[in-house]
Amino acid sequence: MDRTDTMRRARILRWASLSAALAACAATLAAVSLTGWSLFQPDTRYMVAIGRWIVENGELPTSDPLTLHEGLAYICQQWPLCIAAAAIFDAFGEAGIRCAAAALDIAATATLWACTLDRGRTGAVHMAASAACGAAIAVLCNSTPRGIDVMALCACYAAGRKWARGGRDSLLAAFPAAGFAMAQLHGALWTVALMVPCCLILDGRLDRHGRLKALTAAMSTAAACMLNPYGARLLMVPFATMSANSLKSVGIGELAPWTEAAPAQAAAACTLVSALVLYRLRVRCRGGGRALLEAGDLLVLGTLMLALANVRNELFLMTSMALALSDIQGEVAGRGRGGRWPLRRCARRRSSPPSDAWPRPCRPRRQSRNRPRGRCPPSPPRGRSRAMP
């Protein structure tokens, strides 16, 4: 099989994998609609009503205008999406809202597929994981803009992984950009953009210089999230929800702890996370590395703790597990001829050779006729080390 056939086969496999993931997401959306679980839920109806109020009054509300209680403090955490939902509903009706929600879920599935694709390779594991995540996104993101959270997490993880493997420092700008976008589109979960920088700070591969850069990126992300119409008040929304005395009194099922809502699923998730982290450590040890926790391991463990706190974070756990699984595929099948992945320049630097070491022999270069031909330095004699005694 020549190189052309190999490239054509790889291209066919990539399109087949993407088609399988999108087909799984679309089939799950169709099944959800046929079972009576509509894509036009009360959350979407509230977004349409708030969007109409914003368009009519020309300002963002500071108190809830749709409640019976006067002066109730309110933060419209998704004001661009509310305006878009109102415009789509007024133009196309309920069918337009359903199509927009389905398109957002499919876009999130395609983003996750692209971020877990290892250097253009694909396989049965990647195809199955992408299809499973597509089905999970279709179920868990029902009538809510949670697909934006998945896309933000995937983009941040892809940028952080590329930077940790020797990419440019400009990749760290993806975190503040994602934080700014999340603060406008889904302010209650702006912490999604802060997950990967915090994991990079605790990454065992980085030294103090790399961790300082990751800390700077995390602080820049938090500052970028403050650039919203509500300022720093928006940043306290997720913490105020988590610090509530009784989440059951809120009446929202997704805010209940996972251990109480579905104990069997929580136990299975803990088992899968433990197996995944241990297998990642084993892969690195067999490759000659050290058994240190990396950003992918920390992200999986952190999202597991968040999912155990309330059910709404189980989508982040599935996404982080898919991203961590793609790292294993990259470490096993994506190595170059040199063996391991190139390490971060600021993480591990080889010590400079001694000043009295023998210079490396080089080949004579072609020089112009006006210049005298240079001579290469002598190579070290056989049987002696490169360093002078």
Side-chain angles (χ1 to χ4, degrees):
M1 182 180 296
D2 56 357
R3 185 176 180 181
T4 304
D5 296 338
T6 304
M7 295 177 61
R8 185 182 297 107
R9 181 175 180 272
R11 191 181 302 109
I12 294 174
L13 289 177
R14 285 198 302 270
W15 283 108
S17 177
L18 178 60
S19 301
L22 298 182
C25 182
T28 307
L29 288 172
V32 166
S33 300
L34 292 176
T35 53
W37 196 6
S38 176
L39 297 178
F40 192 65
Q41 295 292 331
D43 292 344
T44 309
R45 300 178 188 274
Y46 186 83
M47 292 175 61
V48 171
I50 287 292
R52 288 176 175 175
W53 188 92
I54 294 174
V55 173
E56 292 175 359
N57 294 270
E59 60 180 3
L60 298 180
T62 56
S63 59
D64 196 345
L66 304 178
T67 184
L68 298 177
H69 304 279
E70 296 183 0
L72 182 62
Y74 174 73
I75 294 178
C76 187
Q77 54 173 336
Q78 303 171 351
W79 61 272
L81 296 179
C82 292
I83 297 175
I88 293 174
F89 183 80
D90 294 338
F92 304 101
E94 186 176 343
I97 294 294
R98 292 181 178 181
C99 293
L104 184 60
D105 295 343
I106 292 177
T109 303
T111 304
L112 181 60
W113 176 87
C115 292
T116 54
L117 188 65
D118 173 54
R119 289 190 175 185
R121 296 184 179 91
T122 184
V125 176
H126 177 256
M127 184 183 300
S130 301
C133 290
I137 289 173
V139 174
L140 298 178
C141 298
N142 185 29
S143 74
T144 58
R146 299 290 304 279
I148 297 176
D149 307 336
V150 175
M151 290 188 284
L153 182 59
C154 292
C156 291
Y157 191 85
R161 175 173 55 186
K162 189 173 182 180
W163 175 78
R165 289 178 177 177
R168 297 180 179 180
D169 293 337
S170 58
L171 292 170
L172 298 177
F175 304 136
F180 177 79
M182 286 297 299
Q184 317 301 325
L185 300 177
H186 202 179
L189 292 176
W190 66 269
T191 51
V192 173
L194 204 62
M195 291 181 180
V196 178
C198 293
C199 293
L200 287 175
I201 295 174
L202 303 176
D203 197 325
R205 297 171 298 176
L206 303 183
D207 64 351
R208 59 180 181 179
H209 300 287
R211 293 177 181 176
L212 182 60
K213 293 180 180 180
L215 178 60
T216 304
M219 296 175 62
S220 302
T221 303
C225 292
M226 295 184 185
L227 301 177
N228 63 86
Y230 295 96
R233 288 194 303 162
L234 181 66
L235 304 187
M236 301 304 298
V237 172
F239 302 103
T241 304
M242 295 294 296
S243 61
N245 294 328
S246 178
L247 293 177
K248 294 182 179 180
S249 62
V250 181
I252 303 177
E254 65 178 7
L255 297 181
W258 203 7
T259 54
E260 299 180 3
Q265 295 181 5
C270 293
T271 304
L272 292 177
V273 167
S274 302
L276 179 59
V277 173
L278 291 177
Y279 187 70
R280 282 172 56 91
L281 293 176
R282 181 185 177 186
V283 169
R284 288 195 294 272
C285 291
R286 292 181 63 182
R290 295 182 295 177
L292 299 175
L293 291 179
E294 296 182 357
D297 308 322
L298 297 170
L299 182 63
V300 172
L301 295 175
T303 51
L304 175 62
M305 296 177 61
L306 293 176
L308 294 177
N310 54 59
V311 184
R312 72 183 304 179
N313 295 321
E314 61 181 348
L315 179 62
F316 296 142
L317 176 60
M318 295 181 181
T319 305
S320 62
M321 291 180 65
L323 294 171
L325 188 62
S326 68
D327 281 348
I328 293 179
Q329 181 186 4
E331 292 175 0
V332 174
R335 300 176 192 167
R337 296 183 178 180
R340 301 185 58 196
W341 289 103
L343 298 178
R344 181 70 191 153
R345 288 176 297 177
C346 60
R348 295 180 183 177
R349 294 181 178 179
R350 295 184 179 181
S351 58
S352 59
S355 59
D356 54 352
W358 282 91
R360 183 176 299 179
C362 63
R363 297 179 180 178
R365 300 179 179 178
R366 293 184 178 180
Q367 298 183 0
S368 61
R369 297 180 180 179
N370 299 330
R371 296 182 181 180
R373 293 183 59 85
R375 300 178 60 184
C376 293
S379 59
R382 297 182 178 179
R384 298 178 61 182
S385 61
R386 288 184 178 271
M388 293 291 292

